[in-house]
Amino acid sequence: MTTDSVDGRILELLRAGGGFASGAALSRELGVSRTAVWKHVKGLRGQGYRIEAVPTKGYCLVASPDLLTPLGLGAGLATRRIGSRLVCLRETESTNAVAFRLAEEGAPEGTVVTADAQTAGKGRLGRVWISPPGVNLYLSVVLRPLISPVAACQLTFLSVVAVARAIEACTTLAPQIKWPNDILIAGKKVAGLLNEMNAETEKVNFVVLGIGVNLNMRHSQLGAGVRHPATSLLEEGGVEVDREAFARALLRELDQLYDRFLADGEGPVRAEWLERSAIRGRQVRVSSGAREFSGEVQGVDSFGALLVQVPGGGLETVLSGDVTLC
Ligand code: BT5
């Protein structure tokens, strides 16, 4: 085993047990001496892990460093595809831009890029995603599904549902979904998603799912450039969210949903999206390119387009744009 894989296994075992694990048990489990276990514990402490050592009890993981690392994210992750390669950066222009470049260079499906801060975080349609350091999650995933470019829009359902599930797993808050790609808490935006694609006419080469979640950001860090009410999980729940635990929960949900998508198509994931979005039957104002109109939402089609019934009875299909609930 390499140093990294022993470190990873120690973290995994300490996390799984929750309390103390004896040096003897760890040494047995890992097939290394107790002195080696102690050396690895010291190494992990040097990386910011707070591991208590009590002679009669053994070792206990008290706290993990706040910075995301491949070691911390990957230890015991046990996903099938998502997280096959983990790249954790301190600062970058945009995790989507990095993931896109890596994918062009042949990065495998499931490659994940995170950053502590983004200097040019991207929203949709050339907008900016505010990305201060040390407080939020900025994460991008490379997928290589064998689907047509038109069908790739369906992957938005997947990342939206995964974020909603991760919020429920890590907090007591109730996320709401707003078409096409927003997650709200109490009507305020807490997460945004940006999928980008490299494709030919008939086939997708790769898709990058970009996910930004406001975890511990304060209102004051948002600045003036935000068009709609925004918030963070800390502002809404009053409790700091462990960034590593949240990221791991999100990667697991993505993995499970992507598995389902590949096995059964977009149907089941879209059904959960629809159930959670509670948008059917609502009156909305739609802005899509030069088009602006109001109407009642009938649902979404299998490609993720919003179906809106306009006064007079016609049905409008909206592939991209913004909606405001009336
Ligand atoms: C989005 O665009 O919501 C997509 C955001 C995707 C961000 C992730 S972070 C990881 C990955 N790497 C990237 O570079 N991007 C992705 P859109 O629906 O266009 O919303 C953008 C609008 O939301 C902005 O114009 C602001 O009004 C507002 N906004 C900007 N930063 C925000 C934030 N941190 N929280 C809430 N709202 C924000």
Side-chain angles (χ1 to χ4, degrees), residues 94-96 118 122-124 127-128 130 189 192 214 227:
S94 148
T95 56
N96 262 33
Q118 296 186 122
K122 295 193 283 184
R124 292 175 307 137
R127 296 176 191 145
V128 170
I130 296 164
K189 181 158 171 167
N214 299 336
R227 298 178 312 147

Side-chain angles (χ1 to χ4, degrees), residues 93-97 118 120-132 136-140 180-182 189-194 196 209-214 217 222 225-231 322:
E93 73 273 38
S94 148
T95 56
N96 262 33
Q118 296 186 122
K122 295 193 283 184
R124 292 175 307 137
L125 311 167
R127 296 176 191 145
V128 170
W129 186 252
I130 296 164
S131 311
N136 294 335
L137 182 66
Y138 317 113
L139 180 146
S140 301
N181 67 337
D182 291 352
K189 181 158 171 167
V190 77
L193 308 156
L194 173 68
E196 296 183 287
L209 305 185
I211 302 176
V213 190
N214 299 336
M217 181 159 85
L222 270 168
V226 179
R227 298 178 312 147
H228 300 290
T231 193
D322 292 298

Side-chain angles (χ1 to χ4, degrees), residues 177-298:
I177 291 175
K178 179 166 158 280
W179 185 91
N181 67 337
D182 291 352
I183 313 269
L184 314 179
I185 306 273
K188 292 167 271 181
K189 181 158 171 167
V190 77
L193 308 156
L194 173 68
N195 294 356
E196 296 183 287
M197 165 168 71
N198 176 312
E200 290 155 40
T201 328
E202 299 283 308
K203 94 175 208 293
V204 166
N205 294 323
F206 61 82
V207 176
V208 171
L209 305 185
I211 302 176
V213 190
N214 299 336
L215 299 180
N216 299 317
M217 181 159 85
R218 287 296 182 182
H219 276 138
S220 55
Q221 292 177 285
L222 270 168
V226 179
R227 298 178 312 147
H228 300 290
T231 193
S232 71
L233 297 180
L234 171 64
E235 289 283 4
E236 296 307 308
V239 186
E240 279 227 5
V241 178
D242 180 326
R243 291 197 298 163
E244 187 180 273
F246 189 91
R248 284 162 61 83
L250 179 60
L251 296 182
R252 289 206 179 106
E253 296 297 352
L254 280 171
D255 194 64
Q256 205 194 78
L257 287 160
Y258 188 49
D259 234 27
R260 190 83 203 269
F261 176 85
L262 294 179
D264 302 327
E266 46 78 40
V269 186
R270 178 163 60 112
E272 184 170 338
W273 185 98
L274 259 179
E275 200 177 299
R276 288 172 168 280
S277 77
I279 198 175
R280 194 182 269 156
R282 299 288 299 267
Q283 286 293 325
V284 291
R285 172 127 207 96
V286 178
S287 154
S288 174
R291 286 195 303 162
E292 291 241 358
F293 57 91
S294 300
E296 185 183 302
V297 176
Q298 300 299 303

